[in-house]
C-alpha cells in the first residue's frame, strides 16, 4: 500500500495505480479525453494535468504512476491555468458547430469547456478542415471535429482485434481513417461511437434523430444473442431511437455488438399490429374476438395429441412459462419444443446446456478448445473476452475447425469427428493439453450438437473431462454456446420433448403428424406446410407469419417486462421501454386471454402472480439435478464425419434483425467485402 | 514538404527484385525475433530506391504482407515521414536545402535554377517526367552551403551557374560528380587551415 496525499487529504492506495486512478479513489474527478479504463494509456490529450509537489511542470496524471509520498493537487490556480491552456489548444481547431452536432448534450469536450474553456479565442488563423471519411454503414464521421485522442484506434486494435483504424499524416495534418476508407470489419465497430469524446464519430443510423435529454432511458438486457448484454434503451414516445451499452463487468464489460446496438430499427418495421386471419391465401385484418373464436373451434375439434407448439428465439421466460402452462393445463398436450433444429440435448443436468466456466472465467483459463463453434458470430462479446484472455495471459487456443479470423491467433485441427475420438481416447496432443491445463475451457458450439456425431462428442467429451477431474466443484471446463436469448430459459423451463436427446416434436411435425401448430415467435423452422392449421404469435411479419393461418400480434423485447437467462445461466430482467403497436398485446396477456376464452378461467390473475409462480418453478427445478448421471459411454455409436460449422448469417439471425434496414446494409457491405476478396 | 498526396495513378503490383529481396531479408535479421515489424522503415526506403523514388499503394500492401502487419500500420508510417514520397517524383529527385545557413549562402538561387531547368513548381515533374525538385529542411551539410541532394548524392558549394550546369547534365542522363564544386575536400576550411596550426596532422 502506498500513502499519498490528494488535495491535502491522506489516502492509501494499492501499488501500480496511476495518479489519475489514485485521484479517483480519493473522490477527485480529473477531466480527460484520451484516457479510458479499458484501453491502453496514450497520454496525448494533456487534459488531465495535475500539480505534483516538487515537480516544476504540471504532470499528465493518466500516464504517471503514483508513488509513495506524492502530494497531488488538483484544485490550484496552477492546474486550472494549465488545463485552460490545453483546452484553448484543443478548441483552436475544433469547429463551433455544437447546435448541429449529434454529440451535443453528451459531449465530453462540451462539458469540460464549460469549466475550462475561455470565452474568446486568440487563434486568428483559419480552422483546419478534414474531409469526411467513409467507415461503413454504422459510423458517421465528421473528422474536422476530431481532437486526436486515438481512443478509436486503440479500441479497434486492442479490444476488437482488427487493426483497421489508424492515424495518417502528422501534426496539423493528422487524420484518423481506415485503410483507403474501407468500412470497419468488426462486429464491435460501433463502440467507437461511444468512445469518441467529441462528435467526430457519431452513429449513422441515429443521425439528427433526437437530443439525449429528450429521450426516456430504460435499463434492460439485450436479446440479439445468448450473452445477455446489459443495455440502455432510449425511446422517444413509442419509437426506440437507440441502444447503448450499460456496464456489467461480468458479462459485456462496456461493449455491445453492432447487432445489439443497431437492430433496433427493426422494431419499427414489419410489425404485426393487429390480428390477421388467412382466407384464400390472403391475410385479412380481424378482431381479437374473431381470431379467438376460430382458435377455440380449432382446439375443440383437434385431438390433444395432434396439437404441438414451438417457442422462439426471443421469448422472455414469462411467455415461455405461461405457454407451457397453457399447453399442459388447458390443451392437455405436451408436444412442446423450443429447439428449431434437431439439436442434441442431454437435460439430465442443468450444466449440460450452460457455459459453465462463465464469461469472467475465460480470463482465468490457460487453455481453450473450440469444438465446432465460431464464437465471433455466435457470441460476439464472449469472443471479445477470449481475445482479452489471449492478450492478458497468452492463453493457448485450439479450434477443431478452421473458422477464419477470430481476432486472435489459434491453431486449428482437421475438423473431423475422429479427431475428437482420438482426443477422448487419450491419443492426441490436445488430450495432454487438457490434462496439463489447470483451468481448461472446452467450448461446444451448436454446430456440433446438430451433427450426427453430436451425441458422441457431447457424452464422450464430458466423460473424458470428468475422468480427468476437469469438472469439479471449483471449475467446470465443459461449456456450450447457445446462440439465442431464450435458449437457456426454455430449457430451464423444460420446454422440450426428447428421445435420447433428439428433437421428436420437430420430426413429427416434418412428417405431418400434427393438425394444429402454435408458433410463439418461432421463425426458423424448416418444414413444408401441408394441411396443418398454423397459429403464429409474434412481433414481426417474418418466416413464421408467412406460413400462419392466424396471426396474433405480440410484443418485442423492448415492449414488455420479462426475464431472460443468458448462456451462463444468469437470470436477468428486461424492462419495458416502449409499448406494443396498435392492437398488439404483451405476449403473456395474449395467452392468458386465450386461456380464459377457451376454458373460462385465466391462468394467472396478473403479471405478479405469473412472475412469482415462474420464479418459484425455477427455484425448484434448478435444484432438482439428478444425482446419478449415466456415465456410460459404451453404447455410443461413432461415425466419422467432417463437422461443418453452421454458416451463421450474423446480421440476419433473428426476426428483428431481418426487419432492420441497418442490418441489411451491414450485411450487404460485408458481402461486398467478401466478393471483392479484400476481407481479412 | 514532400508529396503526401497519394497518387491517382497506381501500379497494380509491386515486388522486390532479386537483389532487393536479399537486402530486405538481411535487414530483417537486424531485429530481434518477434520484432520484425520494426523493419518497416528501412523496407519502405528500399521500395523507394527500387521504384524511382516513390512508394505506391501496392508496395505498402506488399510490405505489410512481408512483415505480417496490418495495412494501416504501414500506411501510417509512410504518411508520417517526409522522406517517403507517395506520388511519382521522377528518376532524379532533387532536394534543395533552404534552411537558414543555406538560405544565407544563396539557396534561393539554386531554387531559381531548378525552376528554370526542371519545372515551375515544387513536386512537379519535368517535361520528360524524369526529374522533379523540392525544397527541404536542413540536410546537415551547412559547412558546404548552399547544397542540394540528387537521389543519394550531395552537391555542395553551389551557385546558380554551377547548378544550371549540373542540372543540364542530369537532364541529359549523365551523372555529374558529387561533392564540393569549389574544389574542397569534404568540409575543410577555405584557403587552408586557420586553427591548430602547430599540430601536424590535424
Amino acid at each position: 500500500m502506498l500513502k499519498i496525499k490528494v488535495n491535502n487529504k491522506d489516502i492509501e492506495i494499492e501499488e501500480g495505480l496511476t495518479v489519475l486512478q489514485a485521484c479517483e479513489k480519493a473522490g477527485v474527478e480529473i477531466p480527460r479525453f484520451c484516457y479510458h479504463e479499458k484501453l491502453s494509456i496514450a497520454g496525448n490529450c494533456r487534459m488531465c494535468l495535475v500539480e505534483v509537489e516538487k515537480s516544476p511542470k504540471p504532470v499528465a496524471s493518466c500516464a504517471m504512476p503514483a508513488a509513495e509520498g506524492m502530494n497531488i493537487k488538483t484544485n490550484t490556480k496552477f492546474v486550472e491555468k494549465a488545463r485552460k491552456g490545453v483546452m484553448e489548444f484543443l478548441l483552436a481547431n475544433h469547429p463551433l458547430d455544437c447546435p448541429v452536432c449529434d454529440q451535443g448534450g453528451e459531449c465530453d469536450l462540451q462539458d469540460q469547456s464549460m469549466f475550462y474553456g475561455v470565452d474568446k479565442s486568440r487563434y486568428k488563423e483559419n480552422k483546419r478542415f478534414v474531409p469526411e471519411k467513409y467507415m461503413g454503414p454504422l459510423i458517421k464521421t465528421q473528422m474536422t471535429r476530431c481532437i486526436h485522442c486515438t481512443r478509436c484506434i486503440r479500441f479497434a486494435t486492442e479490444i476488437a482485434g482488427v487493426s483497421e483504424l489508424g492515424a495518417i499524416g502528422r501534426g496539423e495534418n493528422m487524420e484518423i481513417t481506415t485503410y483507403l476508407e474501407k468500412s470497419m470489419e468488426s462486429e464491435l465497430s460501433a463502440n467507437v461511437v461511444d468512445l469518441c469524446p467529441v462528435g467526430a464519430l457519431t452513429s449513422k443510423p441515429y443521425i439528427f434523430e433526437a437530443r439525449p435529454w429528450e429521450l426516456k432511458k430504460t435499463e434492460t438486457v439485450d436479446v440479439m444473442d445468448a450473452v445477455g448484454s446489459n443495455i440502455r434503451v432510449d425511446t422517444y414516445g413509442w419509437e426506440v431511437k437507440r441502444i447503448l451499452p450499460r456496464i456489467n463487468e461480468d458479462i459485456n464489460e462496456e461493449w455491445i455488438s453492432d447487432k445489439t446496438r443497431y437492430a433496433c430499427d427493426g422494431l419499427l418495421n414489419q410489425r404485426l399490429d393487429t390480428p390477421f386471419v388467412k382466407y384464400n391465401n390472403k391475410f385479412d385484418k380481424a378482431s381479437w374476438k374473431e381470431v379467438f373464436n376460430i382458435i377455440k373451434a380449432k382446439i375443440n375439434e383437434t385431438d390433444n395429441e395432434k396439437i404441438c407448439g414451438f417457442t422462439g428465439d426471443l421469448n422472455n421466460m414469462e411467455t415461455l412459462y405461461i405457454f407451457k402452462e397453457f399447453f399442459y393445463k388447458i390443451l392437455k398436450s405436451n408436444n412442446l419444443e423450443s429447439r428449431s433444429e434437431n439439436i442434441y440435448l442431454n437435460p439430465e443436468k442443468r450444466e449440460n446446456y450452460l457455459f459453465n466456466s462463465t464469461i469472467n472465467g475465460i480470463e482465468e483459463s490457460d487453455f481453450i478448445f473450440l469444438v465446432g463453434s465460431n464464437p465471433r458470430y455466435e457470441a460476439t462479446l464472449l469472443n471479445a473476452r477470449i481475445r482479452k484472455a489471449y492478450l492478458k495471459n497468452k492463453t493457448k487456443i485450439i479450434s477443431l475447425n478452421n473458422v477464419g479470423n477470430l481476432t486472435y491467433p489459434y491453431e486449428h485441427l482437421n475438423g473431423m469427428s475422429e479427431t475428437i475420438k482420438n482426443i477422448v481416447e487419450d491419443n492426441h496432443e490436445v488430450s495432454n493439453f487438457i490434462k496439463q491445463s489447470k483451468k481448461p475451457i472446452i467450448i461446444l458450439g451448436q454446430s456440433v450438437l446438430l451433427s450426427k456425431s453430436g451425441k458422441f462428442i457431447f457424452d464422450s467429451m464430458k466423460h473424458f473431462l470428468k475422468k480427468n477431474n476437469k469438472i469439479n466443484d471449483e471449475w467446470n471446463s465443459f461449456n456450450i454456446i447457445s446462440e439465442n436469448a431464450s435458449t437457456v430459459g426454455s430449457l430451464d423451463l423444460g420446454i422440450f420433448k426428447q428421445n435420447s436427446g433428439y428433437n421428436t416434436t420437430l420430426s413429427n411435425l416434418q412428417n405431418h403428424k400434427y393438425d394444429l401448430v402454435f408458433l410463439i415467435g418461432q421463425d426458423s423452422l424448416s418444414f413444408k406446410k401441408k394441411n396443418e392449421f398454423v397459429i403464429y404469435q409474434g412481433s414481426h411479419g417474418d418466416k413464421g407469419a408467412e406460413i400462419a393461418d392466424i396471426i396474433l400480434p405480440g410484443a418485442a423485447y423492448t415492449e414488455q417486462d420479462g426475464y431472460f437467462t443468458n448462456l451462463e445461466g444468469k437470470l436477468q430482467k428486461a424492462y419495458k421501454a416502449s409499448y406494443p403497436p396498435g392492437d398488439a398485446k404483451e405476449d403473456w396477456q395474449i395467452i392468458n386471454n386465450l386461456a380464459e376464452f377457451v376454458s373460462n378461467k385465466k391462468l394467472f390473475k396478473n403479471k405478479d402472480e405469473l412472475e412469482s409462480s415462474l420464479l418459484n418453478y425455477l427455484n425448484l427445478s434448478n435444484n432438482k439435478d439428478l444425482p446419478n448421471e449415466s456415465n456410460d459411454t459404451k453404447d455410443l455409436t461413432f461415425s466419422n464425419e467432417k463437422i461443418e460449422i453452421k454458416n451463421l448469417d450474423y446480421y440476419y439471425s433473428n426476426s428483428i434483425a431481418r426487419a432492420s434496414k441497418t442490418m441489411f446494409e451491414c450485411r450487404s457491405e460485408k458481402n461486398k467485402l467478401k466478393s471483392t476478396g479484400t476481407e481479412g | 514538404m514532400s508529396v503526401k498526396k497519394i497518387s491517382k495513378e497506381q501500379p497494380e503490383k509491386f515486388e522486390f527484385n532479386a537483389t532487393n529481396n536479399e537486402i530486405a531479408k538481411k535487414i530483417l535479421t537486424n531485429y530481434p525475433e518477434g520484432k520484425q515489424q520494426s523493419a518497416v522503415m528501412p523496407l519502405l526506403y528500399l521500395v523507394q530506391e527500387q521504384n524511382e523514388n516513390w512508394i505506391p499503394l501496392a508496395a505498402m500492401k506488399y510490405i505489410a504482407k512481408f512483415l505480417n502487419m496490418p495495412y494501416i500500420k504501414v500506411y501510417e508510417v509512410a504518411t508520417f515521414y517526409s522522406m517517403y514520397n507517395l506520388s511519382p517524383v521522377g528518376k532524379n529527385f532533387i532536394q534543395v536545402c533552404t534552411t537558414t545557413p543555406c538560405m544565407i549562402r544563396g539557396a534561393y538561387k539554386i531554387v531559381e535554377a531548378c525552376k528554370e531547368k526542371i519545372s515551375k513548381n515544387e513536386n512537379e515533374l519535368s517535361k520528360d517526367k524524369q526529374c522533379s525538385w523540392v525544397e527541404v529542411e536542413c540536410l546537415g551539410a551547412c559547412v558546404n552551403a548552399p547544397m542540394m541532394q540528387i537521389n543519394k548524392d550531395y552537391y555542395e558549394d553551389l551557385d546558380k551557374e554551377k547548378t544550371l550546369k549540373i542540372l543540364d547534365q542530369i537532364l541529359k542522363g549523365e551523372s555529374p560528380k558529387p561533392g564540393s564544386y569549389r574544389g574542397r575536400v569534404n568540409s575543410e576550411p577555405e584557403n587552408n587551415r586557420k586553427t591548430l596550426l602547430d599540430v601536424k596532422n590535424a
Side-chain angles (χ1 to χ4, degrees):
Chain A
M1 294 298 263
L2 299 174
K3 275 184 193 150
I4 61 163
K5 250 184 187 180
V6 178
N7 292 343
N8 289 324
K9 202 174 108 191
D10 289 301
I11 60 158
E12 272 195 20
I13 54 161
E14 308 95 87
E15 273 173 65
L17 292 188
T18 62
V19 172
L20 189 144
Q21 285 165 328
C23 289
E24 268 183 357
K25 285 246 150 125
V28 177
E29 205 184 315
I30 308 243
R32 85 286 301 265
F33 294 114
C34 72
Y35 176 80
H36 192 275
E37 292 87 356
K38 293 270 186 277
L39 303 175
S40 64
I41 291 165
N44 52 9
C45 75
R46 317 308 287 179
M47 197 61 205
C48 61
L49 294 176
V50 295
E51 185 181 351
V52 176
E53 207 177 65
K54 286 180 194 151
S55 160
K57 292 192 286 182
V59 166
S61 60
C62 71
M64 173 70 118
E68 177 71 39
M70 259 185 177
N71 187 357
I72 302 157
K73 289 171 192 154
T74 67
N75 50 8
T76 55
K77 275 258 146 52
F78 180 74
V79 171
E80 200 188 328
K81 194 182 166 204
R83 287 182 188 164
K84 271 193 172 158
V86 170
M87 180 57 87
E88 197 175 350
F89 274 123
L90 287 176
L91 291 177
N93 267 323
H94 190 83
L96 294 174
D97 60 354
C98 301
V100 294
C101 176
D102 255 336
Q103 191 85 352
E106 47 187 4
C107 174
D108 289 357
L109 189 66
Q110 203 177 32
D111 294 348
Q112 286 171 36
S113 66
M114 297 304 287
F115 289 95
Y116 301 105
V118 188
D119 56 352
K120 245 190 248 166
S121 175
R122 289 182 284 172
Y123 190 70
K124 298 280 186 278
E125 286 74 13
N126 286 335
K127 294 193 180 218
R128 74 184 203 133
F129 171 77
V130 185
E132 264 191 48
K133 305 268 186 273
Y134 179 75
M135 283 194 195
L138 301 178
I139 304 161
K140 181 187 173 346
T141 66
Q142 183 71 263
M143 298 319 277
T144 307
R145 295 177 187 144
C146 178
I147 58 167
H148 304 140
C149 68
T150 68
R151 274 188 191 180
C152 50
I153 299 178
R154 281 175 283 147
F155 175 82
T157 328
E158 290 160 21
I159 312 275
V162 288
S163 295
E164 287 184 353
L165 284 178
I168 60 163
R170 61 166 140 155
E172 205 196 6
N173 301 312
M174 180 169 160
E175 292 177 13
I176 307 281
T177 182
T178 50
Y179 182 71
L180 302 182
E181 303 197 18
K182 228 176 60 174
S183 70
M184 230 174 124
E185 209 193 313
S186 164
E187 292 69 45
L188 292 168
S189 65
N191 285 302
V192 298
V193 172
D194 291 338
L195 285 172
C196 187
V198 294
L201 305 176
T202 50
S203 173
K204 215 175 224 174
Y206 174 70
I207 178 172
F208 304 140
E209 285 282 343
R211 284 297 187 192
W213 57 85
E214 301 172 318
L215 299 169
K216 191 186 111 195
K217 296 151 185 93
T218 313
E219 303 201 328
T220 176
V221 293
D222 167 56
V223 299
M224 290 297 137
D225 53 25
V227 175
S229 305
N230 286 208
I231 53 169
R232 195 186 89 192
V233 175
D234 284 8
T235 46
Y236 185 86
W238 172 69
E239 226 176 291
V240 174
K241 284 287 183 191
R242 62 170 177 179
I243 287 174
L244 296 175
R246 202 151 53 89
I247 297 177
N248 185 334
E249 295 295 341
D250 294 334
I251 299 175
N252 56 320
E253 300 186 278
E254 287 201 50
W255 325 115
I256 53 174
S257 66
D258 291 351
K259 189 159 63 175
T260 303
R261 189 186 299 260
Y262 287 119
C264 64
D265 66 337
L267 293 167
L268 312 175
N269 305 329
Q270 304 256 344
R271 287 307 298 269
L272 303 169
D273 53 1
T274 175
F276 288 96
V277 183
K278 198 185 242 171
Y279 289 116
N280 304 329
N281 271 332
K282 251 180 77 187
F283 282 114
D284 279 345
K285 285 186 181 178
S287 70
W288 280 105
K289 211 174 163 194
E290 283 173 68
V291 289
F292 277 1
N293 267 322
I294 302 174
I295 296 173
K296 188 177 178 181
K298 275 283 167 194
I299 289 174
N300 286 339
E301 72 186 41
T302 315
D303 185 31
N304 291 353
E305 282 308 305
K306 292 272 182 186
I307 302 178
C308 75
F310 281 86
T311 60
D313 302 337
L314 309 174
N315 296 126
N316 60 35
M317 291 176 75
E318 279 90 337
T319 310
L320 296 169
Y321 183 64
I322 196 170
F323 189 58
K324 188 181 176 191
E325 294 286 291
F326 177 65
F327 255 70
Y328 279 56
K329 286 192 180 149
I330 295 186
L331 301 181
K332 308 267 192 284
S333 155
N334 64 352
N335 299 323
L336 256 186
E337 186 53 72
S338 59
R339 295 168 291 170
S340 59
E341 279 163 316
N342 196 12
I343 284 172
Y344 174 70
L345 167 76
N346 179 349
E348 282 169 349
K349 278 196 160 190
R350 192 167 182 245
E351 64 176 27
N352 285 351
Y353 51 83
L354 292 186
F355 196 90
N356 295 300
S357 308
T358 72
I359 296 174
N360 259 344
I362 292 173
E363 284 180 44
E364 296 164 29
S365 171
D366 46 4
F367 176 71
I368 297 175
F369 184 37
L370 299 167
V371 185
S373 171
N374 182 350
R376 181 169 174 182
Y377 296 133
E378 288 161 15
T380 311
L381 267 310
L382 193 139
N383 195 51
R385 220 33 114 81
I386 299 180
R387 177 173 166 77
K388 193 178 173 191
Y390 164 75
L391 289 181
K392 212 168 96 178
N393 317 324
K394 288 265 167 282
T395 313
K396 190 174 179 62
I397 300 156
I398 295 182
S399 169
L400 180 63
N401 298 62
N402 181 3
V403 285
N405 184 1
L406 283 179
T407 72
Y408 42 80
Y410 63 94
E411 290 166 32
H412 62 84
L413 310 175
N414 59 7
M416 303 300 288
S417 56
E418 192 165 23
T419 313
I420 298 289
K421 193 172 179 230
N422 288 338
I423 291 171
V424 297
E425 282 168 2
D426 229 338
N427 272 333
H428 200 278
E429 54 165 359
V430 174
S431 328
N432 290 332
F433 287 138
I434 294 175
K435 278 194 280 184
Q436 282 157 14
S437 159
K438 276 200 194 96
K439 291 184 168 181
I441 288 184
I442 284 77
I443 299 176
L444 264 60
Q446 300 287 316
S447 307
V448 163
L449 304 179
L450 195 58
S451 69
K452 259 184 270 162
S453 10
K455 186 178 162 64
F456 174 82
I457 293 177
F458 183 95
D459 286 347
S460 60
M461 184 55 96
K462 192 169 178 194
H463 183 72
F464 175 74
L465 293 173
K466 270 214 156 145
K467 201 175 70 189
N468 289 301
N469 193 27
K470 299 297 175 195
I471 300 179
N472 51 40
D473 290 343
E474 272 151 35
W475 185 257
N476 190 334
S477 58
F478 191 67
N479 297 289
I480 304 287
I481 288 195
S482 321
E483 281 164 26
N484 298 312
S486 48
T487 308
V488 174
S490 312
L491 299 179
D492 272 351
L493 291 171
I495 301 186
F496 53 83
K497 194 179 168 191
Q498 49 113 10
N499 180 11
S500 71
Y502 287 104
N503 194 337
T504 49
T505 321
L506 180 66
S507 47
N508 284 344
L509 178 72
Q510 280 162 341
N511 293 332
H512 306 288
K513 289 198 176 146
Y514 300 118
D515 292 338
L516 184 57
V517 182
F518 272 91
L519 302 178
I520 303 269
Q522 177 53 266
D523 292 303
S524 30
L525 281 183
S526 53
F527 111 96
K528 284 219 173 64
K529 194 178 155 184
K530 234 173 167 183
N531 295 319
E532 292 88 351
F533 191 81
V534 180
I535 298 162
Y536 177 81
Q537 176 184 332
S539 55
H540 284 72
D542 203 70
K543 291 174 199 160
E546 255 169 49
I547 55 166
D549 295 286
I550 281 184
I551 294 175
L552 306 174
Y557 71 108
T558 50
E559 291 151 10
Q560 52 191 342
D561 289 348
Y563 285 98
F564 287 94
T565 309
N566 81 346
L567 48 74
E568 305 167 282
K570 252 192 204 110
L571 190 66
Q572 300 186 101
K573 191 168 184 182
Y575 288 92
K576 183 173 173 157
S578 173
Y579 42 87
D583 278 346
K585 284 182 188 165
E586 291 186 18
D587 287 319
W588 75 275
Q589 254 174 347
I590 299 175
I591 297 164
N592 209 16
N593 292 350
L594 182 61
E596 190 186 14
F597 197 87
V598 174
S599 67
N600 291 325
K601 199 183 87 207
K602 274 188 179 174
L603 283 166
F604 297 97
K605 258 185 267 159
N606 51 30
K607 188 81 188 264
D608 290 342
E609 198 189 321
L610 168 62
E611 202 178 302
S612 55
S613 171
L614 164 72
L615 294 177
N616 217 355
Y617 178 91
L618 288 176
N619 276 339
L620 290 174
S621 69
N622 287 353
N623 297 330
K624 69 148 198 240
D625 278 352
L626 299 176
N628 293 323
E629 200 184 354
S630 54
N631 265 336
D632 214 0
T633 52
K634 273 179 217 149
D635 58 339
L636 288 175
T637 46
F638 170 75
S639 62
N640 192 13
E641 61 171 332
K642 175 123 181 128
I643 308 284
E644 296 291 343
I645 301 276
K646 237 196 304 182
N647 199 2
L648 193 69
D649 199 347
Y650 177 74
Y651 293 108
Y652 256 29
S653 65
N654 60 47
S655 59
I656 298 177
R658 280 189 289 263
S660 157
K661 249 190 185 153
T662 320
M663 289 296 105
F664 172 76
E665 280 165 29
C666 289
R667 185 167 172 253
S668 34
E669 186 78 20
K670 195 173 167 163
N671 290 340
K672 210 167 76 194
L673 284 178
K674 259 187 198 153
S675 63
T676 53
T678 46
E679 192 186 29
Chain B
M1 265 299 276
S2 58
V3 201
K4 287 287 125 190
K5 226 178 106 193
I6 312 281
S7 170
K8 274 184 189 145
E9 282 162 34
Q10 293 281 348
E12 293 240 312
K13 237 184 113 186
F14 177 89
E15 246 175 26
F16 278 140
N17 57 30
T19 19
N20 281 346
N21 207 12
E22 286 303 304
I23 299 174
K25 276 184 189 150
K26 213 176 153 202
I27 291 173
L28 281 189
T29 58
N30 293 348
Y31 300 91
E33 192 57 44
K35 305 276 178 200
Q36 261 69 23
Q37 298 186 346
S38 307
V40 63
M41 292 188 63
L43 290 189
L44 282 173
Y45 203 68
L46 200 61
V47 169
Q48 205 160 263
E49 272 174 37
Q50 185 184 320
N51 193 53
E52 303 205 329
N53 296 317
W54 74 288
I55 302 170
L57 286 172
M60 289 186 213
K61 271 196 171 179
Y62 177 74
I63 298 289
K65 278 179 190 148
F66 198 90
L67 296 173
N68 194 17
M69 63 199 281
Y71 300 154
I72 185 79
K73 298 283 167 211
V74 180
Y75 193 60
E76 277 180 323
V77 173
T79 52
F80 187 91
Y81 292 98
S82 58
M83 276 167 77
Y84 297 127
N85 298 311
L86 305 181
S87 281
V89 290
K91 209 164 80 191
N92 295 307
F93 180 50
I94 298 166
Q95 301 173 64
V96 185
C97 171
T98 55
T99 306
T100 322
C102 281
M103 189 194 76
I104 293 170
R105 302 277 289 161
Y108 286 123
K109 295 278 180 208
I110 305 180
V111 171
E112 264 173 43
C114 288
K115 282 186 181 169
E116 279 171 32
K117 285 279 167 200
I118 302 167
S119 57
K120 249 192 185 156
N121 302 308
E122 288 189 292
N123 298 323
E124 192 180 302
L125 286 170
S126 59
K127 271 183 204 150
D128 59 356
K129 311 246 178 213
Q130 291 296 304
C131 197
S132 75
W133 67 276
V134 67
E135 280 185 39
V136 295
E137 300 310 325
C138 187
L139 290 171
C142 310
V143 183
N144 297 9
M147 58 80 65
M148 65 181 175
Q149 182 183 355
I150 302 179
N151 296 342
K152 280 181 141 182
D153 295 322
Y154 277 19
Y155 294 84
E156 297 154 342
D157 291 329
L158 301 172
D159 55 25
K160 192 170 176 183
E161 224 172 280
K162 284 167 185 158
T163 313
L164 287 173
K165 229 176 181 176
I166 295 172
L167 292 180
D168 268 334
Q169 278 174 294
I170 289 282
L171 287 171
K172 268 185 228 154
E174 294 163 22
S175 37
K177 180 182 78 70
S180 169
Y181 269 66
R182 236 173 20 225
R184 284 204 279 171
V185 177
N186 298 334
S187 51
E188 68 178 10
E190 274 182 271
N191 308 326
N192 254 329
R193 285 156 68 181
K194 297 197 173 57
T195 52
L196 302 175
L197 293 171
D198 47 336
V199 184
K200 261 188 189 166
N201 294 322

